Amino acid sequence: MSDWRSRYEDAADEEAARFARATDRQLLEAVRNGATGQYYTVWRALAARRATAELCWLLYDLLNSDRPYLERYHCAAALLQLLHCDEFEAVQLSAGWSTVPGNLARLRRIVEAAVGPAAR
């Protein structure tokens, strides 16, 4: 394995371990503050948690934000895993496609069915 690849994988593993050790509250705050890491590992840590209303609605709101595509993509993948939802692929909820708003509306109903309405 090349040296750069080994360093990259080691750094990603360290980041993943740090997020895995974090509390639910720390992960939610990291996402709210945009401190999601360099290797997109926060999303795997979130997907491994229990699907709570606060977490699911935070991720849903992020999907509707202007965050960068890759962040929204990994967010979508985490939310779909939390919901055990196979109706969509992550790209169908995060890309700049004309179908995304309708998909997000359908996902909203799925989130509501799973964890209840958003607390607003």
Side-chain angles (χ1 to χ4, degrees), residues 8 36-43 62-63 65-78 90-91 93-96:
Y8 179 93
T36 56
Q38 296 179 352
Y39 305 95
Y40 301 102
T41 59
V42 72
W43 308 110
L62 191 143
L63 286 175
S65 75
D66 61 356
R67 293 255 184 118
Y69 164 73
L70 278 177
E71 198 167 338
R72 290 191 327 273
Y73 173 86
H74 289 287
C75 172
V91 69
L93 301 168
S94 56

Side-chain angles (χ1 to χ4, degrees), residues 16-65:
R18 183 172 41 86
F19 283 128
R21 287 189 306 271
T23 65
D24 289 354
R25 177 77 35 224
Q26 289 169 326
L27 289 176
L28 289 167
E29 286 306 309
V31 170
R32 283 188 186 104
N33 295 324
T36 56
Q38 296 179 352
Y39 305 95
Y40 301 102
T41 59
V42 72
W43 308 110
R44 287 186 303 194
L46 288 167
R49 304 296 166 114
R50 186 174 53 87
T52 65
E54 183 179 19
L55 174 56
C56 290
W57 285 114
L58 174 64
L59 297 181
Y60 179 83
D61 289 344
L62 191 143
L63 286 175
N64 285 284
S65 75

